[in-house]
Amino acid sequence: MTESSLFDAELPLPDDGLAQKAKTLIGFDERYQAVHAQLRLLLNSSDLPAWNTKFHHGKLNLGALLQEQYPFAIFHGDVGTGKTATAETIANRLVAEARVEDATLFKMSNRVRGSGMVGEMGTLISQAFQQVIKAVGKSKRAILIIDEGDSLAANRSQEHSHHEDKVAVNTLIQHIDDLRRFNGRILVILCTNRLSVLDPALRRRAAVVRAFSRPTPEERKALFSSDLAALNPSSDDLAKLVATTGQRADQPTWTYSDIRTRLYPQALAKAFPTQPLSVNLLLHVASAMTPSPVMEDK
């Protein structure tokens, strides 16, 4: 397997495309504000001694303790709740606000699981981290996103956990531990659908743990208002769309992904090429659809 195939994306930051993407994510600003201070601290931990000297005459011992934090965050929630997209856009805004132009976003591919050969998964995970470390060199920065983290970092004590899975978790933990020597220049964000299945040792290392829920009625209304602005939906139209995509006795609330990657394309397919898209058509298509099943822990 080539080095490039270990990643689904390798993107210089800041990136204009990700900045535009952030504008389409409902609730992004609130989510960013909730975590940006902690993530900024992790990414700039090398500046703590100078801050300590400036404001506390170098006498605040907490600075040294903070530098021992692991540069590791966990985003967890149901499929389609925006974890990975938010991780990417948060990384981009952090870099943009830091006014640095020497950072890279890496998105680890699930191909690091390998083909099942003995020792392969641990080796591929190591190769991925080594490539990130090589990219940052002595002065650059990197943010590594690990999507579907539960497939790489499941609890080693589970009865069905195979030897290869345990080796992979051990390898992942070792590399996250090692990243502390870079003083915040490398940050890892792991996204998972099921927080409870992650190995406890990894969960303990997370400096930031952020839950992503299915969109509220207000968030779904904002989504439809933004996405369907060209249709000039009325308040009644929006209320019907919100109600149709809400929780019912036999099904959960729809996710962002259910709406944007399933409802919209199916409605567009029915409209194109002979009729315009309409709220009534969207409601008709939605009535025959069901949302994604709940996977997140309760």
Side-chain angles (χ1 to χ4, degrees):
M1 185 176 294
T2 63
E3 284 190 344
S4 61
S5 66
L6 297 175
F7 300 98
D8 289 330
E10 185 176 339
L11 185 67
L13 298 178
D15 176 74
D16 290 340
L18 286 177
Q20 291 300 315
K21 186 176 184 178
K23 297 178 181 179
T24 71
L25 298 178
I26 302 301
F28 171 77
D29 287 334
E30 291 81 1
R31 285 173 168 171
Y32 180 71
Q33 291 302 321
V35 300
H36 96 280
Q38 288 175 284
L39 295 180
R40 180 183 58 191
L41 182 62
L42 290 174
L43 278 169
N44 295 279
S45 61
S46 61
D47 295 333
L48 279 171
W51 171 86
N52 192 8
T53 299
K54 179 179 180 180
F55 292 101
H56 300 284
H57 307 290
K59 297 179 180 180
L60 186 67
N61 294 326
L62 293 180
L65 294 174
L66 287 172
Q67 285 185 299
E68 290 300 309
Q69 282 193 115
Y70 299 92
F72 179 51
I74 295 175
F75 289 177
H76 67 96
D78 256 342
V79 175
T81 51
K83 301 180 297 296
T84 304
T86 302
E88 294 170 348
T89 47
I90 281 177
N92 191 58
R93 184 173 291 187
L94 282 169
V95 170
E97 289 185 351
R99 299 183 183 278
V100 296
E101 296 183 353
D102 59 357
T104 304
L105 174 69
F106 291 89
K107 185 177 176 183
M108 186 182 288
S109 170
N110 208 34
R111 290 186 293 274
V112 296
R113 285 195 60 83
S115 59
M117 294 175 58
V118 175
E120 184 182 18
M121 183 159 46
T123 297
L124 293 175
I125 290 174
S126 288
Q127 288 177 358
F129 272 89
Q130 288 164 8
Q131 186 174 341
V132 172
I133 290 171
K134 181 180 179 181
V136 301
K138 295 183 179 180
S139 61
K140 297 180 180 180
R141 302 174 188 234
I143 298 177
L144 171 63
I145 295 176
I146 302 175
D147 203 6
E148 299 181 17
D150 36 309
S151 69
L152 295 177
N155 193 333
R156 289 167 291 181
S157 66
Q158 293 182 16
E159 291 183 5
H160 62 273
S161 180
H162 298 114
H163 173 72
E164 285 299 293
D165 295 319
K166 294 178 180 179
V167 170
V169 176
N170 287 335
T171 303
L172 191 56
I173 290 172
Q174 290 168 6
H175 283 292
I176 289 173
D177 288 354
D178 178 61
L179 293 184
R180 287 185 295 180
R181 67 185 172 91
F182 292 92
N183 293 319
R185 290 193 295 115
I186 302 176
L187 171 67
V188 176
I189 303 177
L190 183 146
C191 301
T192 178
N193 301 326
R194 296 173 295 166
L195 180 64
S196 68
V197 307
L198 295 185
D199 192 88
L202 273 173
R203 293 172 64 177
R204 287 195 301 269
R205 281 165 168 76
V208 176
V209 178
R210 179 68 178 172
F212 284 68
S213 303
R214 294 188 177 220
T216 64
E218 294 75 19
E219 289 170 333
R220 296 198 306 283
K221 180 179 179 181
L223 183 76
F224 288 125
S225 296
S226 173
D227 291 348
L228 305 177
L231 303 184
N232 295 313
S234 66
S235 296
D236 186 54
D237 288 334
L238 292 174
K240 289 178 180 178
L241 287 166
V242 169
T244 300
T245 55
Q247 184 176 8
R248 301 177 188 175
D250 59 342
Q251 65 183 37
T253 298
W254 291 40
T255 67
Y256 292 110
S257 181
D258 288 331
I259 295 169
R260 280 182 163 166
T261 68
R262 296 177 59 220
L263 173 59
Y264 292 165
Q266 288 190 37
L268 285 169
K270 287 185 176 295
F272 180 84
T274 59
Q275 61 177 305
L277 183 66
S278 66
V279 171
N280 284 337
L281 180 57
L282 284 162
L283 290 169
H284 174 73
V285 173
S287 67
M289 291 177 57
T290 56
S292 303
V294 174
M295 290 186 63
E296 170 65 332
D297 311 292
K298 293 297 184 183

